[in-house]
Amino acid sequence: MCLSKTCNAIVSILRSLVRRLRKIYWNALGLKFGRNCQFDRFRANSPQNIQIGDRTTIKHDVDILYVGSAVDHPRIKIGSDCYIGQRVLLNCTDEVVIGDHVMIASGCQLVDCDHTFETRLIPIGRQPGKALPITLARDVWLGANVVVLRGVSIGEGAIVGAGSIVTRSIPSWEIWAGVPARKIGARP
């Protein structure tokens, strides 16, 4: 019994040490994060363009990608007291802003850019893309596997049902779901 308690204590100490080392690593690369953040393994290609608020939790296998031009301030801003579930993708060319107390369930994707197809003479992949910012206001909840596309703003307290594709902005306190997402209710 005593050996089991000792092993558990050692595992707990090692996990704490690994968390601290991850924070030191990301801080050295320029990622700005607040106090008491908790995060598992995640990937970021441009950490100097990311800012994370206090007490935010980021689960494992999250990809935070910035593919825009280099700037001198964060283009991906995640507020305080947020939860970002496993396998979430934040793909940013312009700007992605996530307010405080936002919950993003597993498998969600926020993509602020897409391809154009203005002419048939040039392959789609070689035509210039279009990017518009994505904003999630305070206390938004995205269910599992929600996709939010460029130019969308989701208002305070809004909820988006699992598996939805959000192609237009959602007002505060509304509940949306579907493909494409549409209003199905309102919060009391």
Side-chain angles (χ1 to χ4, degrees), residues 41-54:
R41 298 176 320 271
F42 73 91
R43 292 174 290 276
N45 69 331
S46 186
Q48 69 277 11
N49 288 307
I50 302 167
Q51 175 181 314
I52 301 171
D54 297 337

Side-chain angles (χ1 to χ4, degrees), residues 11-185:
V11 167
S12 178
I13 290 168
L14 289 174
R15 284 183 179 152
S16 176
L17 179 62
V18 167
R19 280 193 292 272
R20 287 184 195 152
L21 289 173
R22 283 186 185 129
K23 288 180 182 179
I24 291 168
Y25 170 78
W26 286 115
N27 193 25
L29 292 176
L31 189 143
K32 299 164 190 68
F33 54 87
R35 296 181 317 264
N36 299 318
C37 290
Q38 295 188 15
F39 46 86
D40 295 329
R41 298 176 320 271
F42 73 91
R43 292 174 290 276
N45 69 331
S46 186
Q48 69 277 11
N49 288 307
I50 302 167
Q51 175 181 314
I52 301 171
D54 297 337
R55 297 171 306 279
T56 289
T57 298
I58 299 176
K59 300 309 277 182
H60 63 84
D61 296 326
V62 170
D63 287 313
I64 304 175
L65 307 175
Y66 178 73
V67 295
S69 301
V71 293
D72 60 355
H73 62 283
R75 301 302 291 177
I76 300 171
K77 300 172 189 162
I78 301 169
S80 295
D81 300 301
C82 293
Y83 175 87
I84 299 177
Q86 61 191 22
R87 297 180 324 279
V88 167
L89 169 65
L90 304 178
N91 189 347
C92 176
T93 298
D94 187 336
E95 183 173 55
V96 173
V97 177
I98 298 170
D100 296 337
H101 303 282
V102 170
M103 295 188 307
I104 301 175
S106 297
C108 289
Q109 298 182 36
L110 282 69
V111 182
D112 77 347
C113 56
D114 62 15
H115 296 283
T116 60
F117 45 93
E118 306 286 326
T119 178
R120 294 181 183 181
L121 302 174
I122 302 171
I124 293 170
R126 292 192 180 160
Q127 294 187 43
K130 287 186 181 177
L132 290 169
I134 292 174
T135 303
L136 306 183
R138 183 183 183 284
D139 196 29
V140 167
W141 175 21
L142 302 182
N145 299 309
V146 167
V147 176
V148 180
L149 299 177
R150 71 179 175 95
V152 168
S153 291
I154 300 178
E156 181 177 0
I159 298 172
V160 181
S164 299
I165 298 179
V166 183
T167 59
R168 55 193 171 126
S169 294
I170 298 175
S172 296
W173 312 111
E174 291 188 357
I175 303 169
W176 285 43
V179 178
R182 61 180 176 77
K183 182 180 177 181
I184 61 168

